[in-house]
């Protein structure tokens, strides 16, 4: 499988260095060469000190960290823990989480939640179609009324497939515990009344 796989990562999620714009690709030479050939045309002004700092982090991350064999083991454990915290929060809202094995996002099935239909009548420049897709309307409602913001997954769909996302929302768990716990509290406060 290695011969067919290109793994992309960044300092933003791996080392909590959001905004540094330093990333890397790992894979077989025929794939990494392709990335290198276009990289010079798509990346601009990644400061050299940031690149040097991340190079040091990549080396040190292989060393034991806290009670783990490496920083990567710690990071994977932390993201699993945060994922589970977020899934508990989603369940409190009646959202059925689709629990991933990795990554930074949980998709939630929102088919059991109703919201005021007037949100479907809203018009924004960003919406991918008119009328507003249900997931967009629900995300706007949830942000305004519940105080928790989700990503409408139809943002990633072509117009012909927008309906596939109508009962889904995407939630990020690459957040501080305080943010996830606050979302849980807001879900409890809103849906338990």
């Amino acid at each position: 499988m290695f011969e067919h796989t290109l793994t992309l990562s960044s300092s933003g999620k791996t080392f909590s260095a959001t905004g540094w714009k330093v990333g890397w690709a790992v894979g077989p030479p025929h794939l990494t060469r392709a990335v290198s050939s276009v990289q010079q045309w798509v990346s601009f002004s990644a400061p050299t000190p940031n690149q040097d700092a991340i190079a040091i982090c990549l080396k040190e991350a292989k060393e034991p960290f806290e009670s783990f064999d490496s920083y990567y083991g710690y990071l994977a454990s932390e993201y699993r823990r945060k994922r589970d915290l977020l899934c508990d929060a989603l369940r409190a809202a009646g959202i059925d989480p689709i629990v991933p094995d990795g990554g930074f996002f949980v998709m939630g099935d929102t088919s059991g939640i109703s919201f005021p239909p007037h949100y479907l009548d809203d018009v924004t420049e960003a919406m991918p179609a008119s009328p507003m897709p249900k997931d967009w309307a629900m995300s706007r409602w949830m942000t305004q009324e519940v105080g928790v913001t989700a990503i409408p997954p139809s943002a990633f769909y072509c117009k012909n497939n927008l309906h596939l996302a109508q009962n889904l929302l995407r939630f990020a768990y690459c957040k501080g515990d305080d943010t996830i716990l606050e979302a849980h509290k807001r879900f409890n406060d809103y849906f338990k009344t």
Side-chain angles (χ1 to χ4, degrees), residues 1-186:
M1 186 56 118
F2 179 78
E3 287 300 310
H4 305 287
T5 305
L6 183 65
T7 301
L8 304 175
S9 196
S10 74
S11 60
K13 297 291 190 296
T14 304
F15 300 112
S16 300
T18 304
W20 281 34
K21 306 297 182 206
V22 177
W24 53 90
V26 177
H30 70 279
L31 294 178
T32 56
R33 270 193 307 274
V35 170
S36 295
S37 69
V38 298
Q39 186 274 333
Q40 68 178 330
W41 305 108
V42 296
S43 297
F44 299 98
S45 69
T48 301
N50 293 6
Q51 294 174 3
D52 290 344
I54 295 302
I56 292 168
C57 288
L58 288 167
K59 287 180 185 176
E60 291 186 9
K62 296 176 186 177
E63 300 298 320
F65 186 81
E66 295 193 4
S67 62
F68 295 88
D69 290 340
S70 70
Y71 172 77
Y72 300 115
Y74 162 81
L75 186 64
S77 176
E78 274 296 288
Y79 276 134
R80 275 190 301 275
R81 186 184 63 74
K82 289 175 183 289
R83 177 204 62 200
D84 293 345
L85 271 179
L86 179 59
C87 288
D88 288 343
L90 296 176
R91 288 183 190 102
I95 298 169
D96 186 23
I98 302 166
V99 183
D101 290 330
F104 313 105
F105 300 95
V106 172
M107 294 290 276
D109 180 345
T110 60
S111 57
I113 297 177
S114 49
F115 63 100
H118 69 83
Y119 280 90
L120 292 163
D121 299 329
D122 288 351
V123 175
T124 69
E125 288 184 33
M127 64 189 216
S130 185
M132 183 176 284
K134 182 181 174 193
D135 64 318
W136 278 71
M138 180 172 278
S139 179
R140 292 172 58 79
W141 163 77
M142 192 174 285
T143 298
Q144 293 173 19
E145 303 296 331
V146 182
V148 176
T149 299
I151 301 161
S154 66
F156 306 107
Y157 289 52
C158 68
K159 286 188 180 187
N160 291 340
N161 291 329
L162 293 177
H163 67 281
L164 298 173
Q166 68 180 339
N167 291 317
L168 297 171
L169 285 176
R170 184 178 187 224
F171 297 86
Y173 58 87
C174 49
K175 310 264 181 210
D177 286 2
D178 55 337
T179 300
I180 298 170
L181 293 171
E182 180 64 26
H184 195 157
K185 178 188 177 304
R186 291 179 185 189

